[in-house]
Short mmCIF file of all heavy atoms in Angstrom, two decimals:
data_model
loop_
_atom_site.label_atom_id
_atom_site.label_comp_id
_atom_site.label_asym_id
_atom_site.label_seq_id
_atom_site.Cartn_x
_atom_site.Cartn_y
_atom_site.Cartn_z
N GLY A 1 -23.34 105.31 35.49
CA GLY A 1 -24.02 106.16 34.58
C GLY A 1 -23.18 107.41 34.18
O GLY A 1 -22.10 107.48 34.63
N LYS A 2 -23.78 108.35 33.65
CA LYS A 2 -23.09 109.60 33.23
C LYS A 2 -22.81 110.36 34.58
O LYS A 2 -23.63 110.50 35.42
CB LYS A 2 -24.05 110.50 32.39
CG LYS A 2 -24.37 109.67 31.11
CD LYS A 2 -23.72 110.28 29.86
CE LYS A 2 -24.17 109.59 28.65
NZ LYS A 2 -23.25 108.99 27.85
N GLY A 3 -21.59 110.92 34.59
CA GLY A 3 -21.23 111.82 35.67
C GLY A 3 -20.97 111.05 36.97
O GLY A 3 -21.08 111.63 38.00
N GLU A 4 -20.76 109.76 36.89
CA GLU A 4 -20.58 108.93 38.11
C GLU A 4 -19.36 109.39 38.92
O GLU A 4 -18.44 109.84 38.30
CB GLU A 4 -20.56 107.48 37.80
CG GLU A 4 -19.40 106.97 37.00
CD GLU A 4 -19.40 107.11 35.50
OE1 GLU A 4 -20.42 107.52 35.01
OE2 GLU A 4 -18.37 106.77 34.92
N ASP A 5 -19.34 108.99 40.14
CA ASP A 5 -18.23 109.10 40.97
C ASP A 5 -17.13 108.11 40.70
O ASP A 5 -17.46 106.95 40.62
CB ASP A 5 -18.80 109.12 42.47
CG ASP A 5 -17.63 109.17 43.50
OD1 ASP A 5 -16.57 109.73 43.12
OD2 ASP A 5 -17.85 108.80 44.65
N MET A 6 -15.98 108.55 40.42
CA MET A 6 -14.85 107.62 40.07
C MET A 6 -14.13 107.18 41.22
O MET A 6 -12.87 106.96 41.11
CB MET A 6 -13.99 108.26 38.96
CG MET A 6 -14.67 108.51 37.59
SD MET A 6 -14.78 106.93 36.73
CE MET A 6 -13.07 106.57 36.37
N SER A 7 -14.67 107.14 42.40
CA SER A 7 -13.95 106.63 43.54
C SER A 7 -13.96 105.14 43.68
O SER A 7 -14.83 104.49 42.98
CB SER A 7 -14.60 107.15 44.91
OG SER A 7 -15.92 106.75 45.00
N VAL A 8 -13.08 104.60 44.42
CA VAL A 8 -12.90 103.15 44.47
C VAL A 8 -12.50 102.82 45.90
O VAL A 8 -11.82 103.57 46.49
CB VAL A 8 -11.93 102.61 43.46
CG1 VAL A 8 -10.51 103.12 43.68
CG2 VAL A 8 -11.89 101.08 43.45
N THR A 9 -12.89 101.68 46.45
CA THR A 9 -12.64 101.34 47.80
C THR A 9 -11.21 100.86 47.85
O THR A 9 -10.62 100.33 46.88
CB THR A 9 -13.54 100.21 48.34
OG1 THR A 9 -13.27 99.06 47.65
CG2 THR A 9 -14.99 100.67 48.36
N ARG A 10 -10.58 101.02 48.96
CA ARG A 10 -9.21 100.46 49.20
C ARG A 10 -9.11 98.95 48.98
O ARG A 10 -8.18 98.55 48.33
CB ARG A 10 -8.74 100.87 50.65
CG ARG A 10 -7.32 100.30 50.99
CD ARG A 10 -6.88 100.67 52.35
NE ARG A 10 -7.97 100.65 53.26
CZ ARG A 10 -8.05 101.28 54.43
NH1 ARG A 10 -7.03 102.06 54.78
NH2 ARG A 10 -9.06 101.29 55.20
N ASP A 11 -10.12 98.25 49.39
CA ASP A 11 -10.10 96.73 49.16
C ASP A 11 -10.05 96.41 47.71
O ASP A 11 -9.43 95.51 47.31
CB ASP A 11 -11.31 96.15 49.85
CG ASP A 11 -11.24 96.14 51.37
OD1 ASP A 11 -10.13 96.27 51.88
OD2 ASP A 11 -12.34 95.99 51.97
N LYS A 12 -10.80 97.21 46.95
CA LYS A 12 -10.80 96.97 45.36
C LYS A 12 -9.42 97.21 44.87
O LYS A 12 -8.95 96.47 43.96
CB LYS A 12 -11.86 97.71 44.70
CG LYS A 12 -13.30 97.16 44.92
CD LYS A 12 -14.33 97.93 44.23
CE LYS A 12 -15.70 97.29 44.40
NZ LYS A 12 -16.79 97.89 43.66
N VAL A 13 -8.78 98.26 45.27
CA VAL A 13 -7.40 98.64 44.77
C VAL A 13 -6.50 97.56 45.22
O VAL A 13 -5.64 97.09 44.37
CB VAL A 13 -7.06 99.96 45.40
CG1 VAL A 13 -5.50 100.26 44.97
CG2 VAL A 13 -7.90 101.15 44.78
N LEU A 14 -6.56 97.05 46.46
CA LEU A 14 -5.61 96.04 46.97
C LEU A 14 -5.83 94.75 46.15
O LEU A 14 -4.90 94.09 45.76
CB LEU A 14 -5.83 95.82 48.42
CG LEU A 14 -5.42 96.97 49.33
CD1 LEU A 14 -5.77 96.76 50.81
CD2 LEU A 14 -3.90 97.23 49.14
N GLU A 15 -7.11 94.39 45.90
CA GLU A 15 -7.39 93.21 45.12
C GLU A 15 -6.72 93.36 43.76
O GLU A 15 -6.11 92.36 43.24
CB GLU A 15 -8.89 93.00 45.00
CG GLU A 15 -9.35 91.78 44.06
CD GLU A 15 -10.84 91.83 43.88
OE1 GLU A 15 -11.54 92.34 44.74
OE2 GLU A 15 -11.13 91.28 42.86
N LEU A 16 -6.91 94.52 43.15
CA LEU A 16 -6.32 94.68 41.74
C LEU A 16 -4.82 94.56 41.85
O LEU A 16 -4.16 93.88 40.97
CB LEU A 16 -6.79 96.01 41.20
CG LEU A 16 -6.17 96.48 39.94
CD1 LEU A 16 -6.93 95.70 38.82
CD2 LEU A 16 -6.45 97.92 39.63
N VAL A 17 -4.14 95.18 42.81
CA VAL A 17 -2.73 95.08 42.89
C VAL A 17 -2.28 93.79 43.24
O VAL A 17 -1.25 93.28 42.63
CB VAL A 17 -2.25 96.11 44.05
CG1 VAL A 17 -0.84 95.89 44.33
CG2 VAL A 17 -2.57 97.59 43.52
N ARG A 18 -2.89 92.96 44.01
CA ARG A 18 -2.51 91.61 44.21
C ARG A 18 -2.53 90.74 42.99
O ARG A 18 -1.74 89.83 42.95
CB ARG A 18 -3.52 90.93 45.29
CG ARG A 18 -3.18 91.32 46.67
CD ARG A 18 -4.07 90.52 47.61
NE ARG A 18 -4.19 91.24 48.90
CZ ARG A 18 -5.28 91.86 49.22
NH1 ARG A 18 -6.39 91.88 48.45
NH2 ARG A 18 -5.35 92.60 50.41
N ASN A 19 -3.36 91.00 42.07
CA ASN A 19 -3.39 90.30 40.79
C ASN A 19 -2.33 90.66 39.79
O ASN A 19 -2.39 90.15 38.68
CB ASN A 19 -4.85 90.31 40.24
CG ASN A 19 -5.81 89.49 41.20
OD1 ASN A 19 -5.48 88.53 41.77
ND2 ASN A 19 -7.00 90.12 41.35
N LEU A 20 -1.65 91.69 40.05
CA LEU A 20 -0.67 92.20 39.08
C LEU A 20 0.69 91.42 39.22
O LEU A 20 0.91 90.85 40.27
CB LEU A 20 -0.37 93.74 39.27
CG LEU A 20 -1.52 94.63 39.03
CD1 LEU A 20 -1.26 96.02 39.44
CD2 LEU A 20 -1.96 94.61 37.53
N SER A 21 1.49 91.51 38.19
CA SER A 21 2.85 90.88 38.33
C SER A 21 3.67 91.74 39.34
O SER A 21 3.31 92.85 39.78
CB SER A 21 3.57 90.89 37.00
OG SER A 21 3.64 92.22 36.48
N ASP A 22 4.85 91.21 39.72
CA ASP A 22 5.66 91.86 40.68
C ASP A 22 6.14 93.26 40.30
O ASP A 22 6.35 94.17 41.09
CB ASP A 22 6.98 91.04 41.03
CG ASP A 22 6.46 89.78 41.83
OD1 ASP A 22 5.44 89.85 42.42
OD2 ASP A 22 7.32 88.84 41.79
N LYS A 23 6.29 93.43 38.98
CA LYS A 23 6.71 94.72 38.41
C LYS A 23 5.63 95.13 37.44
O LYS A 23 5.32 94.39 36.56
CB LYS A 23 8.14 94.62 37.74
CG LYS A 23 8.64 96.04 37.37
CD LYS A 23 10.10 95.91 36.98
CE LYS A 23 10.63 97.29 36.69
NZ LYS A 23 11.96 97.21 36.39
N VAL A 24 5.02 96.40 37.69
CA VAL A 24 4.00 96.85 36.76
C VAL A 24 4.27 98.29 36.47
O VAL A 24 4.76 99.12 37.22
CB VAL A 24 2.60 96.53 37.49
CG1 VAL A 24 2.49 97.49 38.64
CG2 VAL A 24 1.53 96.95 36.54
N ASP A 25 3.82 98.58 35.16
CA ASP A 25 3.98 99.96 34.77
C ASP A 25 2.75 100.80 35.36
O ASP A 25 1.63 100.33 35.43
CB ASP A 25 3.81 99.95 33.15
CG ASP A 25 3.85 101.34 32.62
OD1 ASP A 25 4.96 101.90 32.65
OD2 ASP A 25 2.80 101.76 32.10
N ILE A 26 3.09 101.96 35.85
CA ILE A 26 2.12 102.88 36.48
C ILE A 26 0.91 103.14 35.47
O ILE A 26 -0.23 103.16 35.94
CB ILE A 26 2.66 104.18 36.96
CG1 ILE A 26 3.82 103.94 38.07
CG2 ILE A 26 1.69 105.17 37.37
CD1 ILE A 26 3.08 103.31 39.33
N GLU A 27 1.24 103.36 34.27
CA GLU A 27 0.11 103.63 33.32
C GLU A 27 -0.77 102.43 33.25
O GLU A 27 -1.95 102.70 33.05
CB GLU A 27 0.69 104.00 31.88
CG GLU A 27 1.30 105.41 31.92
CD GLU A 27 1.85 105.76 30.48
OE1 GLU A 27 1.36 105.21 29.51
OE2 GLU A 27 2.64 106.63 30.44
N GLU A 28 -0.23 101.24 33.24
CA GLU A 28 -1.11 100.06 33.10
C GLU A 28 -2.02 99.98 34.35
O GLU A 28 -3.17 99.70 34.34
CB GLU A 28 -0.35 98.76 32.99
CG GLU A 28 -1.29 97.64 32.93
CD GLU A 28 -0.52 96.34 32.46
OE1 GLU A 28 0.57 96.36 32.01
OE2 GLU A 28 -1.22 95.22 32.69
N LEU A 29 -1.43 100.19 35.58
CA LEU A 29 -2.19 100.25 36.76
C LEU A 29 -3.26 101.22 36.76
O LEU A 29 -4.41 101.00 37.06
CB LEU A 29 -1.27 100.55 38.01
CG LEU A 29 -1.94 100.64 39.31
CD1 LEU A 29 -2.63 99.37 39.75
CD2 LEU A 29 -0.94 101.04 40.33
N LEU A 30 -3.05 102.48 36.31
CA LEU A 30 -4.09 103.47 36.20
C LEU A 30 -5.15 103.13 35.22
O LEU A 30 -6.36 103.25 35.49
CB LEU A 30 -3.44 104.84 35.85
CG LEU A 30 -2.57 105.49 36.87
CD1 LEU A 30 -1.89 106.80 36.34
CD2 LEU A 30 -3.34 105.76 38.09
N TYR A 31 -4.71 102.51 34.05
CA TYR A 31 -5.69 102.02 33.12
C TYR A 31 -6.58 100.99 33.61
O TYR A 31 -7.85 100.90 33.47
CB TYR A 31 -4.98 101.42 31.83
CG TYR A 31 -5.90 100.88 30.86
CD1 TYR A 31 -6.76 101.73 30.10
CD2 TYR A 31 -5.98 99.50 30.71
CE1 TYR A 31 -7.69 101.09 29.25
CE2 TYR A 31 -6.80 98.95 29.81
CZ TYR A 31 -7.63 99.76 29.08
OH TYR A 31 -8.57 99.11 28.20
N ARG A 32 -6.00 99.97 34.39
CA ARG A 32 -6.79 98.99 34.99
C ARG A 32 -7.78 99.44 36.01
O ARG A 32 -8.96 98.99 36.09
CB ARG A 32 -5.93 97.87 35.64
CG ARG A 32 -5.18 97.06 34.53
CD ARG A 32 -4.35 95.97 35.10
NE ARG A 32 -3.68 95.19 34.13
CZ ARG A 32 -3.54 93.85 34.24
NH1 ARG A 32 -4.10 93.18 35.16
NH2 ARG A 32 -2.89 93.24 33.26
N LEU A 33 -7.35 100.48 36.75
CA LEU A 33 -8.35 101.05 37.78
C LEU A 33 -9.44 101.79 37.00
O LEU A 33 -10.69 101.67 37.36
CB LEU A 33 -7.56 102.03 38.65
CG LEU A 33 -6.78 101.52 39.80
CD1 LEU A 33 -5.81 102.57 40.41
CD2 LEU A 33 -7.62 100.91 40.85
N TYR A 34 -9.09 102.47 35.98
CA TYR A 34 -10.13 103.15 35.20
C TYR A 34 -11.05 102.16 34.52
O TYR A 34 -12.24 102.41 34.63
CB TYR A 34 -9.33 103.99 34.08
CG TYR A 34 -10.25 104.65 33.09
CD1 TYR A 34 -10.98 105.87 33.46
CD2 TYR A 34 -10.47 104.08 31.75
CE1 TYR A 34 -11.86 106.39 32.60
CE2 TYR A 34 -11.32 104.65 30.93
CZ TYR A 34 -12.02 105.76 31.23
OH TYR A 34 -12.86 106.44 30.30
N LEU A 35 -10.51 101.08 34.00
CA LEU A 35 -11.35 100.20 33.20
C LEU A 35 -12.27 99.42 34.32
O LEU A 35 -13.49 99.27 34.01
CB LEU A 35 -10.50 99.17 32.58
CG LEU A 35 -11.19 98.12 31.76
CD1 LEU A 35 -12.08 98.68 30.69
CD2 LEU A 35 -10.14 97.13 31.16
N ARG A 36 -11.72 99.15 35.39
CA ARG A 36 -12.59 98.55 36.48
C ARG A 36 -13.79 99.36 36.85
O ARG A 36 -14.91 98.86 37.00
CB ARG A 36 -11.68 98.22 37.74
CG ARG A 36 -12.37 97.55 38.83
CD ARG A 36 -11.49 97.38 39.96
NE ARG A 36 -12.13 96.46 40.93
CZ ARG A 36 -11.81 95.19 41.11
NH1 ARG A 36 -10.89 94.60 40.37
NH2 ARG A 36 -12.43 94.40 41.96
N GLU A 37 -13.52 100.64 37.07
CA GLU A 37 -14.66 101.49 37.47
C GLU A 37 -15.65 101.73 36.23
O GLU A 37 -16.86 101.79 36.51
CB GLU A 37 -14.07 102.84 37.89
CG GLU A 37 -13.45 102.76 39.27
CD GLU A 37 -14.30 101.95 40.25
OE1 GLU A 37 -15.38 102.52 40.62
OE2 GLU A 37 -13.93 100.95 40.68
N LYS A 38 -15.17 101.74 35.05
CA LYS A 38 -16.10 101.94 33.85
C LYS A 38 -16.96 100.70 33.77
O LYS A 38 -18.09 100.80 33.46
CB LYS A 38 -15.31 102.30 32.58
CG LYS A 38 -14.82 103.62 32.55
CD LYS A 38 -15.92 104.57 32.52
CE LYS A 38 -15.55 105.98 32.25
NZ LYS A 38 -16.72 106.88 32.29
N LEU A 39 -16.34 99.54 33.96
CA LEU A 39 -17.17 98.22 33.89
C LEU A 39 -18.15 98.10 34.99
O LEU A 39 -19.26 97.72 34.73
CB LEU A 39 -16.16 97.13 33.86
CG LEU A 39 -15.33 96.91 32.62
CD1 LEU A 39 -14.26 95.83 32.84
CD2 LEU A 39 -16.17 96.56 31.39
N ALA A 40 -17.77 98.63 36.14
CA ALA A 40 -18.68 98.62 37.32
C ALA A 40 -19.87 99.61 37.01
O ALA A 40 -21.02 99.21 37.27
CB ALA A 40 -17.97 99.06 38.57
N ALA A 41 -19.62 100.70 36.42
CA ALA A 41 -20.61 101.63 36.09
C ALA A 41 -21.55 101.12 35.06
O ALA A 41 -22.84 101.29 35.09
CB ALA A 41 -19.98 103.00 35.52
N ALA A 42 -20.95 100.44 34.05
CA ALA A 42 -21.82 99.72 33.05
C ALA A 42 -22.74 98.72 33.57
O ALA A 42 -23.88 98.59 33.25
CB ALA A 42 -20.85 99.20 31.90
N GLU A 43 -22.20 97.96 34.51
CA GLU A 43 -23.02 96.95 35.15
C GLU A 43 -24.21 97.47 35.90
O GLU A 43 -25.23 96.98 35.93
CB GLU A 43 -22.14 95.99 36.06
CG GLU A 43 -21.24 95.12 35.26
CD GLU A 43 -20.26 94.36 36.19
OE1 GLU A 43 -20.18 94.63 37.38
OE2 GLU A 43 -19.50 93.43 35.63
N GLU A 44 -23.91 98.58 36.59
CA GLU A 44 -24.94 99.38 37.35
C GLU A 44 -26.07 99.83 36.34
O GLU A 44 -27.22 99.75 36.58
CB GLU A 44 -24.42 100.58 38.02
CG GLU A 44 -23.59 100.09 39.30
CD GLU A 44 -22.93 101.24 39.97
OE1 GLU A 44 -23.28 102.45 39.73
OE2 GLU A 44 -22.02 101.03 40.86
N ASP A 45 -25.62 100.38 35.14
CA ASP A 45 -26.52 100.84 34.12
C ASP A 45 -27.42 99.67 33.67
O ASP A 45 -28.59 99.84 33.48
CB ASP A 45 -25.83 101.47 33.01
CG ASP A 45 -25.24 102.83 33.36
OD1 ASP A 45 -25.56 103.49 34.36
OD2 ASP A 45 -24.50 103.39 32.49
N ILE A 46 -26.76 98.60 33.40
CA ILE A 46 -27.53 97.36 32.97
C ILE A 46 -28.48 96.98 33.95
O ILE A 46 -29.70 96.78 33.65
CB ILE A 46 -26.55 96.27 32.61
CG1 ILE A 46 -25.80 96.61 31.33
CG2 ILE A 46 -27.36 94.88 32.39
CD1 ILE A 46 -24.63 95.69 31.04
N ALA A 47 -28.12 96.88 35.21
CA ALA A 47 -29.14 96.42 36.27
C ALA A 47 -30.17 97.41 36.53
O ALA A 47 -31.30 97.08 36.76
CB ALA A 47 -28.23 96.36 37.67
N ALA A 48 -30.02 98.77 36.15
CA ALA A 48 -31.01 99.73 36.27
C ALA A 48 -31.84 99.85 34.94
O ALA A 48 -32.74 100.66 34.90
CB ALA A 48 -30.44 101.10 36.59
N GLY A 49 -31.49 99.10 34.02
CA GLY A 49 -32.38 99.09 32.85
C GLY A 49 -31.88 100.24 31.85
O GLY A 49 -32.74 100.55 30.95
N GLN A 50 -30.82 100.79 32.04
CA GLN A 50 -30.40 101.94 31.30
C GLN A 50 -29.47 101.46 30.14
O GLN A 50 -28.29 101.60 30.05
CB GLN A 50 -29.62 102.94 32.06
CG GLN A 50 -30.36 103.54 33.21
CD GLN A 50 -29.60 104.42 34.18
OE1 GLN A 50 -28.34 104.44 34.15
NE2 GLN A 50 -30.21 105.16 34.99
N THR A 51 -30.23 100.76 29.16
CA THR A 51 -29.49 100.15 28.09
C THR A 51 -30.28 100.67 26.75
O THR A 51 -31.35 101.20 26.79
CB THR A 51 -29.57 98.71 28.16
OG1 THR A 51 -30.91 98.23 28.15
CG2 THR A 51 -28.74 98.23 29.33
N LEU A 52 -29.67 100.31 25.58
CA LEU A 52 -30.25 100.70 24.27
C LEU A 52 -30.51 99.33 23.59
O LEU A 52 -29.75 98.36 23.67
CB LEU A 52 -29.24 101.42 23.41
CG LEU A 52 -28.88 102.81 23.78
CD1 LEU A 52 -27.85 103.40 22.85
CD2 LEU A 52 -30.05 103.77 23.90
N SER A 53 -31.68 99.27 22.91
CA SER A 53 -31.88 98.10 22.06
C SER A 53 -31.04 98.20 20.85
O SER A 53 -30.42 99.23 20.53
CB SER A 53 -33.30 98.13 21.59
OG SER A 53 -33.57 99.17 20.69
N ILE A 54 -30.84 97.15 20.06
CA ILE A 54 -30.08 97.01 18.85
C ILE A 54 -30.58 98.11 17.94
O ILE A 54 -29.79 98.89 17.27
CB ILE A 54 -30.01 95.70 18.30
CG1 ILE A 54 -29.35 94.64 19.17
CG2 ILE A 54 -29.43 95.73 16.87
CD1 ILE A 54 -27.93 94.93 19.41
N GLU A 55 -31.85 98.24 17.82
CA GLU A 55 -32.47 99.24 16.88
C GLU A 55 -32.17 100.76 17.23
O GLU A 55 -31.76 101.48 16.47
CB GLU A 55 -34.00 99.01 16.78
CG GLU A 55 -34.60 99.82 15.63
CD GLU A 55 -34.10 99.46 14.25
OE1 GLU A 55 -33.79 98.32 14.06
OE2 GLU A 55 -34.00 100.35 13.45
N GLU A 56 -32.19 100.95 18.59
CA GLU A 56 -31.84 102.26 19.02
C GLU A 56 -30.42 102.61 18.81
O GLU A 56 -30.08 103.67 18.39
CB GLU A 56 -32.15 102.47 20.59
CG GLU A 56 -33.63 102.47 20.92
CD GLU A 56 -33.83 102.25 22.39
OE1 GLU A 56 -33.15 101.54 23.10
OE2 GLU A 56 -34.77 102.98 22.90
N LEU A 57 -29.52 101.58 18.99
CA LEU A 57 -28.15 101.80 18.69
C LEU A 57 -27.83 102.07 17.18
O LEU A 57 -27.14 102.91 16.90
CB LEU A 57 -27.36 100.60 19.25
CG LEU A 57 -25.78 100.58 18.94
CD1 LEU A 57 -25.20 101.77 19.64
CD2 LEU A 57 -25.13 99.28 19.40
N ARG A 58 -28.55 101.24 16.41
CA ARG A 58 -28.39 101.48 14.89
C ARG A 58 -28.80 102.81 14.56
O ARG A 58 -28.19 103.51 13.65
CB ARG A 58 -29.15 100.39 14.15
CG ARG A 58 -28.60 99.08 14.20
CD ARG A 58 -29.33 98.07 13.30
NE ARG A 58 -28.77 96.80 13.32
CZ ARG A 58 -29.45 95.61 13.54
NH1 ARG A 58 -30.79 95.62 13.60
NH2 ARG A 58 -28.72 94.50 13.46
N ASN A 59 -29.96 103.31 15.11
CA ASN A 59 -30.41 104.69 14.75
C ASN A 59 -29.38 105.75 15.17
O ASN A 59 -29.12 106.70 14.46
CB ASN A 59 -31.78 105.01 15.44
CG ASN A 59 -32.93 104.15 14.80
OD1 ASN A 59 -32.78 103.66 13.73
ND2 ASN A 59 -33.93 103.95 15.59
N GLN A 60 -28.82 105.62 16.38
CA GLN A 60 -27.75 106.51 16.84
C GLN A 60 -26.54 106.51 15.95
O GLN A 60 -26.05 107.56 15.43
CB GLN A 60 -27.26 106.27 18.23
CG GLN A 60 -28.23 106.73 19.31
CD GLN A 60 -27.64 106.63 20.69
OE1 GLN A 60 -26.48 106.25 20.88
NE2 GLN A 60 -28.48 106.89 21.69
N VAL A 61 -26.06 105.32 15.51
CA VAL A 61 -24.86 105.25 14.57
C VAL A 61 -25.24 105.87 13.27
O VAL A 61 -24.41 106.57 12.77
CB VAL A 61 -24.44 103.77 14.51
CG1 VAL A 61 -23.35 103.60 13.43
CG2 VAL A 61 -23.92 103.27 15.91
N THR A 62 -26.36 105.54 12.76
CA THR A 62 -26.86 106.15 11.42
C THR A 62 -26.80 107.66 11.51
O THR A 62 -26.36 108.25 10.56
CB THR A 62 -28.17 105.58 11.04
OG1 THR A 62 -28.20 104.15 10.97
CG2 THR A 62 -28.62 106.17 9.71
N SER A 63 -27.27 108.11 12.60
CA SER A 63 -27.31 109.67 12.74
C SER A 63 -25.92 110.23 12.79
O SER A 63 -25.77 111.44 12.39
CB SER A 63 -28.13 110.02 14.00
OG SER A 63 -27.41 109.82 15.12
N TRP A 64 -24.94 109.53 13.20
CA TRP A 64 -23.55 110.08 13.25
C TRP A 64 -23.10 110.21 11.84
O TRP A 64 -22.15 111.10 11.60
CB TRP A 64 -22.66 109.08 13.95
CG TRP A 64 -23.00 108.89 15.46
CD1 TRP A 64 -23.73 109.65 16.27
CD2 TRP A 64 -22.58 107.75 16.25
NE1 TRP A 64 -23.81 109.08 17.47
CE2 TRP A 64 -23.06 107.91 17.52
CE3 TRP A 64 -21.68 106.64 15.99
CZ2 TRP A 64 -22.85 107.06 18.54
CZ3 TRP A 64 -21.43 105.78 17.03
CH2 TRP A 64 -21.96 106.02 18.32
N HIS A 65 -23.48 109.37 10.89
CA HIS A 65 -22.95 109.49 9.48
C HIS A 65 -23.84 110.39 8.57
O HIS A 65 -23.53 110.31 7.40
CB HIS A 65 -22.91 108.07 8.95
CG HIS A 65 -22.08 107.14 9.70
ND1 HIS A 65 -20.68 107.23 9.66
CD2 HIS A 65 -22.24 106.20 10.63
CE1 HIS A 65 -20.04 106.37 10.47
NE2 HIS A 65 -21.02 105.70 11.07
N GLN A 66 -24.73 111.16 9.19
CA GLN A 66 -25.53 112.01 8.22
C GLN A 66 -24.95 113.38 8.17
O GLN A 66 -24.35 113.85 9.04
CB GLN A 66 -26.96 111.99 8.72
CG GLN A 66 -27.58 110.65 8.56
CD GLN A 66 -29.00 110.62 9.03
OE1 GLN A 66 -29.59 111.62 9.58
NE2 GLN A 66 -29.71 109.51 8.92
#
C-alpha cells in the first residue's frame, strides 16, 4: 500500500541474486529489487481488497484530462 516499508529479507535478496547471470549491472539489480517489492505490495493490496473497478479507474483517468 501507500507508504509501505521497502525492506526485504536476506533470503529474498539471495533468491533474486541466484537467478541472475554471473555478471549483472548494479542498476538492473536495484531495479529488480525495487520491482519485486512493488509487486509484493500490489499483491498485498489485492488480497486486502484495495483495488479499483474498471469504472473507478476510467473516472480517475478522465479527471486527469480535464
Side-chain angles (χ1 to χ4, degrees):
K2 302 252 185 235
E4 70 273 356
D5 180 15
M6 290 287 293
S7 64
V8 62
T9 65
R10 178 179 34 204
D11 289 339
K12 286 185 179 182
V13 172
L14 291 173
E15 176 187 336
L16 178 71
V17 170
R18 279 188 206 104
N19 292 322
L20 295 173
S21 60
D22 289 340
K23 188 170 185 175
V24 65
D25 182 70
I26 294 296
E27 287 184 23
E28 180 171 343
L29 175 60
L30 293 174
Y31 173 73
R32 288 181 182 222
L33 282 168
Y34 172 79
L35 183 60
R36 178 183 195 100
E37 288 309 296
K38 285 300 191 180
L39 290 171
E43 288 173 353
E44 288 175 13
D45 285 348
I46 291 167
Q50 298 174 349
T51 61
L52 295 175
S53 69
I54 294 296
E55 189 61 33
E56 290 169 321
L57 181 60
R58 284 185 181 136
N59 290 338
Q60 281 191 7
V61 172
T62 300
S63 72
W64 297 342
H65 297 286
Q66 293 179 359

